[in-house]
Amino acid sequence: MIMSRPMPPASVLDELVNPVFEPAPELVEWARQTFIADDAKLYNPDHHHLNFASIGALWTNVGNSRKGRQIIGQCEEGSPSGMMGKWGKARAEMQITQWFGHVLDFVMTFDAVYCAECSDAEFCALIEHEMYHAAQDRDPFGAPKFRKSTGLPVFALRGHDIEEFVGVVRRYGADASHVRALVDAANAGPEIANVGIAHACGTCQLRAA
């Protein structure tokens, strides 16, 4: 059974004029208890490395879209990109610290309006989608990377498992296209719920070619 999920606060939903970004520690705690902890109700071993990650979440009332699609979730690295310039990076780090107390490994942002209205299964799928972007880095041989000084995982943003054209799969098959695992997972049916999610992920859109 899906645990009672956190809902966006009225302070975000009821503000119709000014942009709001409000930290959601209750959402991170819920995600840990639902998907990450070893005794979680919907435990997913794919997220085990996040036991060691510092994660922050934000509710927002700011509408977002890219390429004509609504964006309702996004995962970013907690440390701002150096491409922002020294002042921009320092300004962004100051904002993260004001919200969460320190610079995190990952920050996830969610559309409060969508999250208040979607089903439990859609909500879980959205949260897990963003969690899948919060990955443990890999070495050139595909092995998980750890910091030599602490033994803790090295984190990085992750793209999708499958990067292939439908036409290639149609012409050459799942094995030749290296998508057999996806096909088998689809044929096995959903483990939790069969949902259709009409949303876009900001992380995916930013990484799309």
Side-chain angles (χ1 to χ4, degrees), residues 38-118:
D38 292 341
D39 59 349
K41 296 294 185 180
L42 300 178
Y43 173 68
N44 186 340
D46 292 345
H47 304 314
H48 176 73
H49 60 282
L50 294 181
N51 279 297
F52 310 98
S54 56
I55 305 170
L58 294 166
W59 299 116
T60 186
N61 66 345
V62 178
N64 193 7
S65 64
R66 187 181 300 273
K67 299 179 181 178
R69 299 182 65 191
Q70 180 188 12
I71 291 174
I72 58 173
Q74 183 165 314
C75 178
E76 302 168 277
E77 291 181 296
S79 180
S81 169
M83 296 177 63
M84 300 174 67
K86 192 169 184 177
W87 284 353
K89 187 173 187 292
R91 185 173 61 245
E93 287 183 347
M94 182 180 72
Q95 179 65 79
I96 294 295
T97 301
Q98 288 175 346
W99 277 330
F100 304 108
H102 63 284
V103 175
L104 308 173
D105 294 312
F106 299 103
V107 176
M108 303 179 188
T109 307
F110 297 97
D111 184 308
V113 175
Y114 175 87
C115 290
E117 298 175 349
C118 67

Side-chain angles (χ1 to χ4, degrees), residues 129 133 158-163 201 203-205 207:
H129 182 108
H133 282 301
R158 173 190 184 186
H160 295 134
D161 292 330
I162 305 301
E163 299 289 345
C201 164
T203 315
C204 298
Q205 290 290 304
R207 296 169 67 89

